[in-house]
């Protein structure tokens, strides 16, 4: 609003819902999260396939799009994770307690022996 005779508006009030002072988030791919811990991950493993590795604006590391089969329904579930170095598209990764130690696999920290 205009205030007659009170000088100009200060910078902090100009920043309001402005244009150049906001973060440019429209090209971001979404939050990078691991799978939720379910029965398949607690007692065995589940296989996923890396479908794409993409650049995410505002982030220093690339993002990997991984497709898993749904554990109860006939459909696929897509998860986005931070891609480790050495991951490639088409690679099968395994998530769970009984997965091997390899690039891209997701393991629990608790049952691992130190030094291995």
């Amino acid at each position: 609003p205009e205030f007659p005779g009170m000088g100009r508006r200060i910078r902090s009030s100009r920043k309001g819902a402005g244009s150049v002072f906001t973060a440019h988030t429209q090209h971001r791919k979404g939050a990078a999260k691991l799978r939720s811990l379910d029965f398949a991950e607690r007692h065995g493993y589940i296989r996923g396939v890396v479908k794409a590795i993409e650049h995410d604006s505002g982030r220093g590391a690339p993002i990997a799009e991984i497709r898993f089969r749904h554990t109860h329904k006939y459909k696929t579930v897509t998860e986005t994770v931070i891609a480790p170095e050495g991951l490639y598209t088409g690679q099968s990764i395994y998530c769970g307690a009984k997965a091997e130690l390899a690039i891209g696999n997701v393991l629990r920290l608790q049952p691992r022996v130190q030094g291995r």
Side-chain angles (χ1 to χ4, degrees):
E2 292 292 326
F3 299 111
M6 294 194 57
R8 53 191 263 186
R9 296 179 69 186
I10 60 174
R11 182 182 302 176
S12 61
S13 67
R14 282 188 292 152
K15 283 184 178 181
S19 58
V20 295
F21 297 110
T22 58
H24 303 292
T25 60
Q26 64 266 27
H27 297 295
R28 296 212 177 152
K29 306 291 188 273
K33 298 179 182 177
L34 296 175
R35 289 187 75 245
S36 60
L37 195 65
D38 57 355
F39 184 84
E41 278 198 49
R42 282 196 306 269
H43 299 289
Y45 61 86
I46 187 166
R47 183 177 73 91
V49 178
V50 179
K51 289 295 181 183
I53 297 176
E54 303 171 331
H55 170 73
D56 190 16
S57 61
R59 190 186 299 266
I63 277 191
E65 189 176 287
I66 301 171
R67 296 245 173 96
F68 294 98
R69 287 183 56 204
H70 197 279
T71 53
H72 303 300
K73 299 179 182 176
Y74 181 70
K75 64 179 186 176
T76 58
V77 179
T78 303
E79 301 285 339
T80 55
V81 299
I82 305 243
E85 189 175 351
L87 196 73
Y88 56 89
T89 58
Q91 178 180 359
S92 294
I93 66 159
Y94 298 93
C95 300
K98 295 188 178 177
E100 336 184 305
L101 186 62
I103 291 176
N105 289 356
V106 180
L107 310 168
R108 289 175 55 190
L109 292 176
Q110 185 181 12
R112 298 288 155 215
V113 179
Q114 186 175 4
R116 285 188 175 182

